[in-house]
Amino acid sequence: MNGHLSSQAFQLFQKYIEENCGIVIRDEKAYLIESRLSKFLIRFGLSGFEELYNMLRQQKQAALTEEIIDAITTNETLWFRDKTPWEVLEDQLLPKYIEAIRQGRGGKIRIWSAACATGQEPYSIAMCIDRYLLRHGIADITLNDFEIVATDISHTVLQLAKLGKYDNITMARGMTLEYREQYFRQEGRTWLLDERIKNSVQFKQFNLQNSFIGLGFFDLIFFRYVAIYFSEALKKEIMKKISNSLTKEGVLILGNSEVFLDYNEYFEAEFYKNANFYTVRGGCYENIIRG
């Protein structure tokens, strides 16, 4: 077996990965392909990466392609990542959503966590909403009035997310003592998420290259630290699809360190404390109208 990744093999896999999941592997990141895919050479007794590529192309095994994508994708995530999005949700958006629900303007408030990995973001959303309602003594509205959809391209991480089970290392990454005591119970070295919170999130496998039409419309989309892995053309395409998937006053939240320079075509920037968030151009998020 030759575990060395030649320039030709790198270019083949570079194109293959971008075609199948949109992720662009820069030239300086060639080691990712070599280190993460070498196990497949051993598993299938292949002589080199070119042979693995030919097998993928010729046999067109969907399950194997999924395994390749799983190996390449970075599932970096943590609880309540960044501080300001949660302040925006609690201080700016939830009061509007609650008023909209009370006025009976139709349907649940729909929230999408795109590229959710092992579930920390959508579960953070659910806990944030539930705790807000409890803290403010709101009894006429519950978590059931919100529909939280979480998607990822990886079947493997979605299966882990659905379990709602986390180890001590994962729990140490962003989880506060207050939230942990309220929404988790410990069994040995494992922390189990409250069933009510777990059941409030719908997990779906989804490739962001595909049409968004089947997902429906959303009031709020978390699309954080995902676009950084895509080409500029795909980023623009996805932003357009996001704008078409938001309700009239829908809100887009990106990662705090992400620079969104070309938002003007589809979005208007809003500012709260140190947070940037984006509303669909032409809308007025001060008046929530279900769209």
Side-chain angles (χ1 to χ4, degrees), residues 114-153:
C116 66
T118 46
Q120 284 92 321
E121 181 175 86
Y123 287 144
S124 293
I125 294 168
M127 288 186 287
C128 184
I129 293 171
D130 189 69
R131 186 168 173 270
Y132 179 93
L133 297 174
L134 292 171
R135 197 169 69 245
H136 289 82
I138 299 171
D140 59 325
I141 292 170
T142 70
L143 197 53
N144 290 331
D145 291 301
F146 296 81
E147 182 181 347
I148 303 169
V149 178
T151 67
D152 201 280
I153 195 172

Side-chain angles (χ1 to χ4, degrees), residues 93 96-97 100 105-112 147 212 215-222 239-253 266-268 270 278-291:
L93 301 180
K96 312 294 181 183
Y97 295 157
R105 296 185 180 174
K108 295 184 178 185
I109 300 298
R110 302 192 73 232
I111 301 172
W112 178 19
E147 182 181 347
F212 288 9
L215 297 173
F217 293 99
F218 295 93
D219 299 280
L220 174 60
I221 295 177
F222 282 74
M239 287 304 175
K240 181 179 180 180
K241 291 193 291 188
I242 286 177
S243 71
N244 290 331
S245 298
L246 285 164
T247 56
K248 288 182 180 179
E249 289 73 38
V251 171
L252 167 65
I253 293 181
Y266 305 114
F267 299 95
E268 296 177 0
E270 302 277 353
Y278 302 89
T279 56
V280 178
R281 179 162 286 283
C284 175
Y285 104 106
E286 289 295 331
N287 301 301
I288 299 219
I289 301 172
R290 307 291 292 146

Side-chain angles (χ1 to χ4, degrees), residues 23 91 99 157 208 233 240 257:
I23 292 175
D91 298 346
E99 184 61 25
V157 297
L208 290 165
K240 181 179 180 180
S257 61

Side-chain angles (χ1 to χ4, degrees), residues 78-81 86 89-90 94 111 119-135 143 146 148 164 166 171 173-185 192-198 200-201:
L78 58 154
W79 304 100
F80 301 99
R81 188 172 188 176
W86 311 102
L89 179 57
E90 290 194 25
L94 283 177
I111 301 172
Q120 284 92 321
E121 181 175 86
Y123 287 144
S124 293
I125 294 168
M127 288 186 287
C128 184
I129 293 171
D130 189 69
R131 186 168 173 270
Y132 179 93
L133 297 174
L134 292 171
R135 197 169 69 245
L143 197 53
F146 296 81
I148 303 169
Y166 299 94
M171 292 297 289
R173 304 193 67 205
M175 177 57 64
T176 66
L177 179 62
E178 187 176 14
Y179 273 103
R180 191 186 72 185
E181 290 182 344
Q182 186 169 355
Y183 294 108
F184 290 86
R185 62 183 174 86
L192 306 180
L193 180 63
D194 182 276
E195 286 293 317
R196 189 169 53 86
I197 298 299
K198 192 169 73 169
S200 70
V201 178

